[in-house]
Amino acid sequence: MDCPFDELVIAIDGTAGSGKSSASRGVASRLGLRYLDTGAMYRAMTWRMLLDRINVTDAAAVADRADSVVIGSGTNPELPTITLDGMDVALEIRSDQTTAAVSEVSAVPHVREVVVARQREIIDGGGIVVEGRDIGTVVAPDAALKIYLTADPQARAARRAAEMTVEQRRELSAVEAALLKRDAYDSGRTTAPLAVASDAVAVDSTYLTLTEVVDLIVALVHERVAG
């Protein structure tokens, strides 16, 4: 299938801590494409709920607030940005508070409607690598290439722990347990669960370096998309 890169949509889904963000940014940079971190958008929405002291287990209250939240997502893979009502919240969305609440907020159907609509506006026109947990199945089901990235739990926990600040870092076993808990929650939610698209290419990054993962995906782009 011929598809110019400036029209290309690459969907990269996968489990928490599998290396989606680094791989997606690497692929986007290598191919000169835009980049979108959809998870950051849900985190920004969650941070808004926490700031407003909205009970994240109250789906109706969360849904009601979601309509007026303005999330901005930069698409430069070298320096992606995320704003909430015009404010930079790149640090706040990675806090323990946000991490603990994001699955609850992102499971609210209306939140997903609002955020997915914004994601599709950004994706429109192509030339972008999009990472998340429902991109190939819900957000961009017609993506030219779909990747499902995973790794074994211990490798994912080690990678996630390496991303944390000293204050955030916990015992590796606790990090692993938290990742598995989130995967189970996201896989079992009613709306847009974490799932492998039927036409996705599964990539296990357990024993691969970041460069090797990026090389593999770029090779797939040339083989399956660029012709």
Side-chain angles (χ1 to χ4, degrees):
M1 176 176 62
D2 293 327
C3 181
F5 283 180
D6 60 3
E7 298 178 6
L8 184 64
V9 176
I10 300 174
I12 301 183
D13 292 306
T15 51
S18 59
K20 296 188 302 294
S21 294
S22 297
S24 298
R25 291 174 63 181
V27 171
S29 293
R30 185 85 64 85
L31 297 176
L33 303 177
R34 298 181 296 141
Y35 159 75
L36 179 62
D37 178 356
T38 63
M41 299 176 76
Y42 286 107
R43 284 176 170 271
M45 181 69 77
T46 301
W47 183 243
R48 179 76 271 167
M49 301 302 159
L50 294 174
L51 285 176
D52 292 350
R53 300 183 183 278
I54 292 173
N55 181 353
V56 297
T57 65
D58 184 341
V62 170
D64 184 63
R65 182 67 178 93
D67 280 320
S68 57
V69 178
V70 179
I71 298 171
S73 186
T75 59
N76 180 350
E78 303 298 332
L79 190 64
T81 57
I82 186 78
T83 61
L84 178 63
D85 299 321
M87 299 180 297
D88 183 340
V89 291
L91 293 178
E92 291 83 351
I93 67 169
R94 303 298 173 184
S95 69
D96 287 342
Q97 281 180 296
T98 304
T99 298
V102 66
S103 286
E104 198 80 51
V105 172
S106 62
V108 176
H110 189 59
V111 166
R112 299 202 77 83
E113 289 176 8
V114 169
V115 177
V116 167
R118 176 59 182 140
Q119 290 166 356
R120 287 174 174 162
E121 288 177 2
I122 297 171
I123 294 168
D124 187 44
I128 193 167
V129 178
V130 189
E131 62 132 317
R133 294 163 86 76
D134 65 342
I135 310 308
T137 54
V138 175
V139 180
D142 295 327
L145 176 64
K146 302 174 187 178
I147 301 293
Y148 189 85
L149 189 62
T150 190
D152 71 39
Q154 289 185 326
R156 290 160 50 203
R159 291 169 184 170
R160 182 54 56 86
E163 296 171 352
M164 296 176 173
T165 63
V166 174
E167 293 75 16
Q168 291 176 316
R169 193 171 293 122
R170 301 179 290 275
E171 291 293 328
L172 198 60
S173 59
V175 177
E176 181 179 336
L179 289 174
L180 291 175
K181 180 179 179 180
R182 184 176 175 198
D183 285 341
Y185 188 102
D186 289 356
S187 297
R189 69 188 176 212
T190 302
T191 304
L194 169 65
V196 185
S198 60
D199 54 348
V201 178
V203 175
D204 186 337
S205 67
T206 303
Y207 302 108
L208 299 176
T209 65
L210 173 59
T211 299
E212 289 171 334
V213 172
V214 172
D215 286 346
L216 190 158
I217 296 174
V218 168
L220 284 170
V221 172
H222 286 285
E223 174 188 333
R224 299 189 174 211
V225 178

